[in-house]
Amino acid sequence: MDSIGSLGLQQGEGAPGCPQEGLPCPSNSSEMVQECLRQFTVTGAQLRQIQTSLLGSMEQALRGRAGPAPAVRMLPTYVGSTPHGTEQGDFVVLELGATGASLRVLCVTLTGIEGHKVEPRSREFVIPQEVMLGPGQQLFDFAARCLSEFLAVLPVGNQGLQLGFSFSFPCHQTGLDKSTLISWTKGFKCSDVEGQDVVQLLRDAIQRQGVHGIDVVAVVNDTVGTMMGCEPGVGPCEVGLVVDTGTNACYMEEARHVAVLDEDRGRVCISIEWGSFSDEGALGPVQTVFDRTLDHESLNPGAQRFEKMIGGLYLGELVRLVLAHLAQRGVLFGGHTSPVLQSQGSILLEHVAEMEDPSAGAARVHAVLQDLGLNPKPSDAEWVQRVCVAVCTRAAQLCAAALAAVLSRLQHSREQQALQIAVATGGQVFERHPRFLSVLRETVMLLAPDCDVSFIPSVDGGGRGVAMVTAVAARLAAHRRLLEETLAPFRLTREQLAAVQAQMREAMAKGLQGEASSLRMLPTYVRATPDGSERGDFLALDLGGTNFRVLLVRVTAGGVQISSQIYSIPECVAQGSGQQLFDHIVDCIVDFQQKQGLSGQSLPLGFTFSFPCRQMGLDQGILLNWTKGFKASDCEGQDVVCLLREAIRRRQAVELNVVAIVNDTVGTMMSCGYEDPRCEVGLIVGTGTNVCYMEELRNVASVDGDSGQMCINTEWGAFGDDGSLSMLSTYFDASVDQASINPGKQRFEKMISGMYLGEIVRHILLHLTSLGVLFRGQQTQRLQTRDIFKTKFLSEIESDSLALRQVRAILEDLGLPLTSDDALMVLEVCQAVSQRAAQLCGAGVAAVVEKIRENRGLEELTISVGVDGTLYKLHPHFSSLVAATVRELAPRCVVTFLQSEDGSGKGAALVTAVACRLAQRTRV
Ligand code: 0WK
Ligand code: BGC
Ligand code: BGC
């Protein structure tokens, strides 16, 4: 393997030609030069060690595990795909840091047409040293002034131009346009920038400089720009390699291997930041005294040690240090040093490139050395050239070892032994240094023999690539703006919620007084919550939620035992004839009785009927209108207890004693009230939504009596049916309402409950797809299907434990082809819709508990609310958002939400038990 060492260097070969004719050739002078050259010789084993160690550091950093800081940073760049060439438009690119003391501004026009290219317009500005080392604000103001100067002469109007910021330093990116500088490298050391978001610093400077119409939409590392700038047709390049003043590479890693990212699909571009590779075990043996001196005298000693052996900013300095060393020992330039040889940074990359160039010949080297103020002897030129060759060859070999580590990583992450890959290269060292690429290529072939690597010089130095990323970022930013515009009406302010609370209070007061109101405030004839003395066996029916249940409830001193059975109510029955519906209910009761061995027994029955009923007594309830998915005929306006009794009659030989009909809110309040007597409110947020509470009888105009309380079923689902919620209603709410079986009805319910949230989300997704924001604008049949997006998907998608990947799984099951950005946006849509629902629900509860507090003239009210309903119970954030909104809007009420365990069937049985107890007492 040591053959690698021979590339360009002949080990132990005698010094060519003595420095000066007739002078004894100090055998040791050529020895001394050879010794220096030998120090820059790297063996195959050493290169392989570097390759292995760097690969180890890369994989440790990807795992993101705790432990000693990995030598390389492996920074996600939020670039998830290589360009698909459809990007179009004029984009401004500001490049800072790639090429040392210069800043470049370009205007790149992307045509989106394969192979059709418009030459970018660009201008380079030299950055004064004091700006590179001064206050950060000064640097960014300098950049903004250069931008302004460039735009001033740009033929394209700069209204609404998007800018991509190519910032070639290690940054923690948290978004395409959000990036925090970790540490300066190369010749930069401005104050007050490390740890800051450099996009914001640039935006602030652009504002300070009064440059208008420029929108900074992306920040990109130069390696990413280089990779993305790969000529379409030859690429896509999946590795971006820069060797300019500094060095670094990026590559497309499988997203699932990047621990910090919550992704399992697709690829993401990782900026390796291999400049900071510093594993002593691997680098120590190849570091020379010159490297250590250079590092020691650099702006950032101890940092970027690998970069300082490769980067163009340092090659000239390494050569200078070697030449100064040899001059001081009288080996070169007759032992004369010169100000140039003494002063740091005086030998530049271009000097080395020129002197190193085999075609340059001794004469050219001689000329360069003279330009540097040196007085070289003929032999000096050759030695100097050999020093340049040694320094640059080592740089190319070390760079090759690093690249070979990346190739090994790609082989691992793609489980591919034979890898074919295109590497985009960029930077002055490639452009100026003829042999760098060939040494790099040959060394890579030896270190990664299974990889077929093509090196593609990037065009415009990566400017085009940055424009590509900017175009993608601009598209995503535009999509984000459209998403925000679409979701803005769902983001309710405290003022809006307080207005809903106040309007609900007003509607409650009017409803109680029997005045026109969208809140019917229906008396339920339940005057007290259970006091624990109830006893007996009761049948209960629970109709109106997701499931129809028949229950046997045994109330004993020891508590309540329940056995129940769930029966389905097919849509054709729920929307068929009333007779068919109630016959079906009685069939279920009979089936239940048989299974429970209760046949022939006539147990008192409590009927939870979760629809708006005007009650004239506990066992009388006129159905005002169906809601949710029910529309059985000949029921509205009928006493549903009668309808049930007629069905019982139709089914001879069945004895049932229907004692009470209760709303599911009342059943829930009673069920929770049995455990906690402070429970005086019942809340349902399930298929539908509604609330009841204990109101002072004196406030209930339609029921005689001024003392005591009665439970009022507010039927808040219909709140806003009088148009009082129109200021909150969105185009999507109107679409859902129009498509429902009861348009114009239950408007508040249609903004809150489980039957509708999925549909609201579906309509928003359709809208965003039509805008091209989602699913690349492809409308899918599935998404056009009503009720295909279940409300339970919101609960699943918003669950914290569910990574974005599972969000994709849910959506892909719906046949939606989506990207990770799509998944993120769908998540945000779900969050906006459910958050609004929970806040509106919270505003309603705040209105109710404040009413009770004021009813009782209390400074502070402590009260419990019994809650049931699938949405409230299953959604990961709904309940806490409701509670937070109530705390915000009713700060003088201490509200405890009790999730009902046994549903409202138990509550109906308890209401029946109370009714039976009261009936018992009146009979004795
Ligand atoms: C369970 C109750 C029932 C109520 C239902 C509401 O026992 O009375 O109607 O909760 O929640 P949903 O099933 O509609 O989600
Ligand atoms: C920076 C990298 C950059 C490289 C090439 C290094 O000093 O840390 O971010 O990609 O130089 O410009
Ligand atoms: C009904 C209410 C019921 C609520 C919850 C609404 O659609 O009108 O009576 O309490 O749904 O189930």
Side-chain angles (χ1 to χ4, degrees), residues 542 544-547 549 608 610 664 684 686-688 868-871 903-905:
D542 187 351
T546 312
N547 307 306
R549 288 194 311 160
T608 300
S610 312
D664 53 355
I684 297 286
T687 317
D868 208 334
T870 321
L871 177 58
S904 60

Side-chain angles (χ1 to χ4, degrees), residues 92 146-156 158 161 211-212 214:
V92 176
C146 298
L147 178 64
S148 161
E149 242 176 79
F150 175 79
L151 295 172
V153 294
L154 197 66
V156 293
N158 63 347
L161 273 174
V211 183
H212 303 296
I214 287 292

Side-chain angles (χ1 to χ4, degrees), residues 216-486:
V216 184
V217 295
V219 58
V220 186
N221 184 266
D222 56 346
T223 55
V224 179
T226 299
M227 181 187 76
M228 296 289 272
C230 210
E231 274 301 334
V234 286
C237 295
E238 296 191 281
V239 176
L241 169 58
V242 167
V243 186
D244 199 306
T245 50
T247 182
N248 183 21
C250 70
Y251 74 103
M252 296 304 287
E253 174 62 72
E254 304 301 318
R256 68 178 177 279
H257 295 147
V258 186
V260 290
L261 293 179
D262 156 18
E263 253 307 334
D264 78 329
R265 235 41 81 66
R267 292 183 176 147
V268 62
C269 179
I270 297 288
S271 167
I272 301 169
E273 287 295 341
W274 65 21
S276 61
F277 176 65
S278 57
D279 168 32
E280 193 51 37
L283 270 192
V286 295
Q287 277 218 310
T288 67
V289 60
F290 307 108
D291 295 308
R292 289 183 230 288
T293 308
L294 180 152
D295 175 52
H296 185 65
E297 294 165 358
S298 72
L299 268 179
N300 52 352
Q304 299 297 101
R305 291 169 53 199
F306 191 56
E307 172 164 85
K308 289 167 183 165
M309 302 166 86
I310 301 173
L313 183 64
Y314 306 102
L315 298 180
E317 184 58 9
L318 281 170
V319 169
R320 181 186 72 79
L321 289 167
V322 174
L323 301 185
H325 166 78
L326 294 170
Q328 276 143 11
R329 279 167 193 59
V331 175
L332 284 181
F333 316 122
H336 300 298
T337 64
S338 73
V340 166
L341 272 188
Q342 294 312 333
S343 52
Q344 187 186 31
S346 56
I347 297 185
L348 303 174
L349 174 65
E350 54 262 36
H351 297 132
V352 175
E354 214 172 329
M355 294 193 285
E356 195 263 355
D357 184 347
S359 60
R364 185 75 206 105
V365 176
H366 206 267
V368 172
L369 291 171
Q370 283 184 322
D371 291 350
L372 289 168
L374 294 162
N375 180 12
K377 298 197 302 294
S379 63
D380 289 340
E382 189 186 326
W383 282 127
V384 169
Q385 187 171 48
R386 294 182 74 163
V387 169
C388 292
V389 168
V391 168
C392 296
T393 302
R394 181 190 71 164
Q397 290 173 327
L398 292 174
C399 185
L403 182 58
V406 176
L407 298 174
S408 311
R409 173 67 212 148
L410 282 162
Q411 287 173 305
H412 291 178
S413 94
R414 297 181 190 184
E415 290 130 19
Q416 275 174 292
Q417 187 47 31
L419 187 74
Q420 189 179 28
I421 195 104
V423 174
T425 57
Q428 294 171 58
V429 175
F430 281 111
E431 288 147 24
R432 292 170 182 275
H433 208 294
R435 271 177 357 95
F436 193 93
L437 180 57
S438 54
V439 174
L440 175 78
R441 187 196 310 276
E442 286 156 18
T443 312
V444 166
M445 278 162 68
L446 289 157
L447 292 173
D450 304 335
C451 299
D452 167 9
V453 183
S454 45
F455 291 90
I456 319 283
S458 103
V459 285
D460 321 325
R464 195 181 134 77
V466 176
M468 285 280 190
V469 175
T470 309
V472 173
R475 189 178 68 227
L476 290 176
H479 286 178
R480 172 139 300 283
R481 260 193 308 280
L482 287 169
L483 178 72
E484 278 317 316
E485 277 160 28
T486 304

Side-chain angles (χ1 to χ4, degrees), residues 866-908:
V867 192
D868 208 334
T870 321
L871 177 58
Y872 185 95
K873 284 184 165 177
L874 297 187
H875 190 283
H877 310 299
F878 199 96
S879 54
S880 55
L881 282 168
V882 171
T885 308
V886 172
R887 273 195 303 277
E888 176 75 24
L889 297 177
R892 296 159 70 177
C893 298
V894 180
V895 180
T896 307
F897 290 88
L898 306 169
Q899 289 210 12
S900 159
E901 297 317 324
D902 314 304
S904 60
K906 168 182 164 186

Side-chain angles (χ1 to χ4, degrees), residues 786-907:
R786 239 189 95 173
D787 292 332
I788 188 98
F789 199 98
K790 303 283 178 237
T791 296
K792 72 179 170 71
F793 292 162
L794 277 82
S795 300
E796 291 162 6
I797 285 170
E798 291 181 58
S799 103
D800 304 341
S801 62
L802 208 62
L804 213 46
R805 75 196 82 196
Q806 272 107 352
V807 174
R808 304 171 76 119
I810 291 170
L811 298 169
E812 267 151 12
D813 289 354
L814 282 176
L816 298 171
L818 74 164
T819 65
S820 49
D821 296 311
D822 288 336
L824 207 52
M825 288 201 228
V826 170
L827 171 61
E828 286 187 52
V829 170
C830 293
Q831 286 167 337
V833 170
S834 63
Q835 174 158 327
R836 180 188 70 163
Q839 290 176 319
L840 286 173
C841 182
V845 172
V848 169
V849 292
E850 270 292 288
K851 173 92 171 64
I852 295 173
R853 182 184 67 77
E854 288 171 19
N855 276 354
R856 298 175 190 176
L858 299 172
E859 262 316 297
E860 188 172 278
L861 171 74
T862 300
I863 191 162
S864 302
V865 174
V867 192
D868 208 334
T870 321
L871 177 58
Y872 185 95
K873 284 184 165 177
L874 297 187
H875 190 283
H877 310 299
F878 199 96
S879 54
S880 55
L881 282 168
V882 171
T885 308
V886 172
R887 273 195 303 277
E888 176 75 24
L889 297 177
R892 296 159 70 177
C893 298
V894 180
V895 180
T896 307
F897 290 88
L898 306 169
Q899 289 210 12
S900 159
E901 297 317 324
D902 314 304
S904 60
K906 168 182 164 186

Side-chain angles (χ1 to χ4, degrees), residues 724-739:
S724 56
L725 276 180
S726 54
M727 80 290 190
L728 292 183
S729 180
T730 67
Y731 156 81
F732 309 106
D733 296 307
S735 312
V736 169
D737 176 53
Q738 284 317 312

